[in-house]
Amino acid sequence: MREREAVQTILEKAIQQANAKKAGHITRLQLAMGELVDYTSESIQSRFDELSRGTIADGAKLEIRLVRAEVQCMACFTKYHPNEGDIVCPNCGAMGAKILTGEEFFLESTETD
Ligand SMILES: [Zn+2]
């Protein structure tokens, strides 16, 4: 997913949650982001600032929790943490693996006032 679309989706969800609580303003958003996602917190925040202008989320701060990546070797089924994006099994040396975690990007919670 492209960064702009991903941030737009997060923003829409946050506004929905705030509306459901009948909150007037969103102050803070907690996001979870997998370590294999190559967005930076600065670019996400500036994207968010741009997209949220004029909405009830205008000025909200983003807090990003990094989710550790885990992959599973398709040859021997060992689960491991990929090193610097290198996906080579430490057990059997096979390259390529199924990604279990590390690609997520989602809204965990919204704080409002
Ligand atoms: Zn293996």
Side-chain angles (χ1 to χ4, degrees):
M1 195 172 5
R2 295 184 46 220
E3 186 189 71
R4 186 189 172 84
E5 293 157 23
V7 173
Q8 180 73 43
T9 303
I10 298 270
L11 173 64
E12 283 167 12
K13 255 197 199 125
I15 291 174
Q16 271 175 17
Q17 286 183 4
N19 285 341
K21 286 194 281 185
K22 304 202 188 312
H25 187 233
I26 298 171
T27 51
R28 193 178 292 271
L29 272 75
Q30 301 254 4
L31 310 183
M33 180 170 81
E35 63 178 333
L36 301 177
V37 177
D38 60 358
Y39 310 152
T40 66
S41 46
E42 292 77 24
S43 72
I44 294 168
Q45 180 75 59
S46 73
R47 206 47 108 182
F48 183 84
D49 290 347
E50 174 197 326
L51 292 169
S52 65
R53 202 160 297 144
T55 72
I56 59 168
D58 200 338
K61 287 278 162 273
L62 302 182
E63 238 168 61
I64 297 166
R65 182 175 70 84
L66 212 57
V67 179
R68 185 178 163 88
E70 190 180 46
V71 300
Q72 183 168 34
C73 176
M74 298 305 279
C76 73
F77 304 108
T78 298
K79 291 180 183 174
Y80 61 96
H81 177 246
N83 207 357
E84 304 280 329
D86 248 7
I87 299 188
V88 178
C89 179
N91 185 46
C92 73
M95 304 226 298
K98 184 177 160 199
I99 294 167
L100 301 175
T101 60
E103 288 188 310
E104 45 281 275
F105 184 70
F106 61 88
L107 180 65
E108 287 195 311
S109 64
T110 308
E111 279 176 36
T112 55
D113 62 14

